[in-house]
Amino acid sequence: MKTHWILVGLLCICSLSFGQDCSQQLLENVDFPGTDITSVYSPDVEHCQMLCTQHASCLFFTFIRADWTRDNRHFYCYLKTTPSGQPSVRTPLLGVTSGFSLKSCSSDLQPCLSKVYQNIDFPGEDYRTLFTADYEGCQRECTRDPACQFFTYATGVYTPEKIRYKCFLKFSWAVPRTPIVEKKTGVISGFSHNVQMAQHSDTACQGKLFPSTDIPGSDFMTLPAASPEHCQTLCSAHPSCTFFSFVSNNFNCYLKGNKNEMVTTAKAGVTSGLPAHFCQLDNNWVKLAHEGVDFRGSDIRFELMDNADICQSTCTADPNCQFYTYVNESFSDRSYWRRCYVKRVITMPAPPKVTKLANVVSGFHQRNCV
């Protein structure tokens, strides 16, 4: 036991040494070259900073602004990390802005994205269109629709004329998606009890599941899921999903889109069901632990703990944690025993691409704005 607490102490010291002081400063025309985790699109540096804050391992970033002239990589947000938590190099570079994650700043993990962007397009992920008199009406419609995360609006002088005043409502995932779900002996995985899996509604509803039933065909997306209820939540969050099938032996969740018919067939090991919209599904499934299941990837950190219940409580108490995996003493490699991995993925609105386009206005929903 003494050795165990020494290890915990050393781990805490290491996590502090790899951590950061809260630094909200943005460094204009400064590059943090190298050490990239990934690149994503952002309309501005503040949005890029929030993506870094929500990413499990991002500690700092460099954003390529609209005034960048070396090539066409405008609106690229490069998420970065180092073992020290600090950039290895800082160099002057026109057209970029760099900064740090706000993980240590007690930042709002559901930020109000109040800006709108003139002559900026968020192409792709359209699920509904309508005509509105101005972009404010388009943004109000996006805010009203729980599936809408961002929008692009064609103004009254847009070319071609036939789509002037057209409002494009767009989707991105606002619920946590476990990147990999797989069977593994000696681990237990689960979710934070505080994780938000759906847009809040005052109306409660019961989901409809069909055990030992498949709905073949009409697949438009396959995602990992821990259970039929998790799969149902993913289907409910996507505006194009009309029903789903979950395969228990490989944890595949098949989202399906067919508004005309639903043909079912008996099949062992498959659970199908219907989504629920504009109501609050029972979320007791979030509180279940899944023994022999690994949620691989998206680690924020790990700590040594005595059991999976403490790991789950730690995840629930940490506002950054959405799900976890605990390694118990039946795992094959004893060097991993008692590790509690706390995990998260990005859930804020994130356009798949950002480009310059004359006479359009783009922006985000205002549901998080008071």
Side-chain angles (χ1 to χ4, degrees):
M1 181 61 71
K2 182 177 179 181
T3 302
H4 167 60
W5 287 114
I6 291 173
L7 288 172
V8 171
L10 288 173
L11 182 62
C12 293
I13 292 169
C14 289
S15 65
L16 288 171
S17 67
F18 291 166
Q20 297 172 297
D21 294 330
C22 174
S23 176
Q24 301 184 47
Q25 182 183 14
L26 296 174
L27 305 174
E28 193 167 324
N29 299 321
V30 174
D31 183 25
F32 295 160
T35 67
D36 298 350
I37 303 168
T38 188
S39 66
V40 289
Y41 282 96
S42 279
D44 62 21
V45 68
E46 290 82 10
H47 183 266
C48 178
Q49 186 172 47
M50 283 307 305
L51 289 176
C52 179
T53 300
Q54 288 202 355
H55 190 279
S57 53
C58 180
L59 297 177
F60 47 91
F61 63 90
T62 293
F63 174 72
I64 300 184
R65 303 192 307 261
D67 60 325
W68 169 263
T69 58
R70 292 194 178 189
D71 52 38
N72 62 357
R73 287 180 299 156
H74 305 108
F75 310 112
Y76 277 52
C77 172
Y78 289 93
L79 307 183
K80 302 167 180 280
T81 191
T82 57
S84 69
Q86 294 295 321
S88 303
V89 183
R90 306 184 188 208
T91 60
L93 185 62
L94 291 176
V96 307
T97 300
S98 296
F100 296 88
S101 163
L102 301 179
K103 289 182 177 69
S104 57
C105 300
S106 300
S107 59
D108 187 356
L109 294 173
Q110 293 184 316
C112 167
L113 303 174
S114 59
K115 288 186 181 179
V116 293
Y117 304 91
Q118 304 285 340
N119 302 314
I120 299 297
D121 184 22
F122 294 165
E125 299 299 335
D126 304 354
Y127 70 92
R128 185 161 73 92
T129 61
L130 66 156
F131 290 93
T132 61
D134 47 36
Y135 79 79
E136 291 92 343
C138 184
Q139 188 172 47
R140 284 194 297 271
E141 190 65 24
C142 182
T143 301
R144 187 194 69 81
D145 187 336
C148 184
Q149 299 299 312
F150 47 95
F151 68 90
T152 293
Y153 176 76
T155 68
V157 293
Y158 182 80
T159 302
E161 185 175 351
K162 63 183 180 180
I163 62 169
R164 289 176 180 174
Y165 304 104
K166 197 167 189 178
C167 170
F168 298 83
L169 302 185
K170 300 165 181 282
F171 171 80
S172 69
W173 288 101
V175 299
R177 292 176 296 155
T178 48
I180 300 173
V181 181
E182 60 188 12
K183 293 180 181 179
K184 185 174 290 185
T185 301
V187 302
I188 300 171
S189 297
F191 297 88
S192 165
H193 291 186
N194 293 327
V195 70
Q196 291 196 350
M197 283 292 185
Q199 186 71 25
H200 178 72
S201 172
D202 293 329
T203 303
C205 59
Q206 292 293 321
K208 187 65 176 177
L209 298 177
F210 308 116
S212 301
T213 302
D214 188 22
I215 306 176
S218 303
D219 303 353
F220 69 87
M221 187 177 293
T222 305
L223 298 168
S227 64
E229 293 80 6
H230 186 197
C231 186
Q232 182 178 48
T233 298
L234 294 171
C235 181
S236 300
H238 200 294
S240 299
C241 188
T242 54
F243 39 83
F244 66 90
S245 291
F246 173 76
V247 182
S248 59
N249 68 349
N250 61 10
F251 304 102
N252 278 345
C253 171
Y254 295 92
L255 304 188
K256 301 166 180 282
N258 187 336
K259 297 180 180 179
N260 299 317
E261 63 179 14
M262 182 180 70
V263 179
T264 63
T265 181
K267 190 170 184 179
V270 179
T271 300
S272 297
L274 304 176
H277 298 299
F278 308 109
C279 63
Q280 192 76 38
L281 277 169
D282 185 331
N283 68 344
N284 282 330
W285 65 270
V286 171
K287 299 178 181 179
L288 298 178
H290 301 274
E291 190 163 355
V293 176
D294 186 16
F295 292 168
R296 182 155 59 87
S298 300
D299 302 344
I300 303 172
R301 68 182 187 280
F302 73 84
E303 300 177 25
L304 299 178
M305 296 184 183
D306 287 337
N307 56 58
D309 291 338
I310 298 175
C311 183
Q312 185 282 313
S313 298
T314 299
C315 179
T316 298
D318 185 341
N320 282 296
C321 182
Q322 297 163 339
F323 45 97
Y324 67 90
T325 292
Y326 178 76
V327 184
N328 63 35
E329 295 182 5
S330 64
F331 189 71
S332 57
D333 187 343
R334 66 180 302 143
S335 66
Y336 288 86
W337 288 2
R338 304 168 88 173
R339 288 189 181 188
C340 171
Y341 292 89
V342 296
K343 304 162 179 276
R344 77 161 292 118
V345 293
I346 294 171
T347 53
M348 66 178 284
K353 194 168 185 180
V354 180
T355 62
K356 297 180 181 180
L357 183 62
N359 302 314
V360 301
V361 180
S362 295
F364 299 94
H365 74 78
Q366 302 294 281
R367 291 188 293 275
N368 296 333
C369 303
V370 178

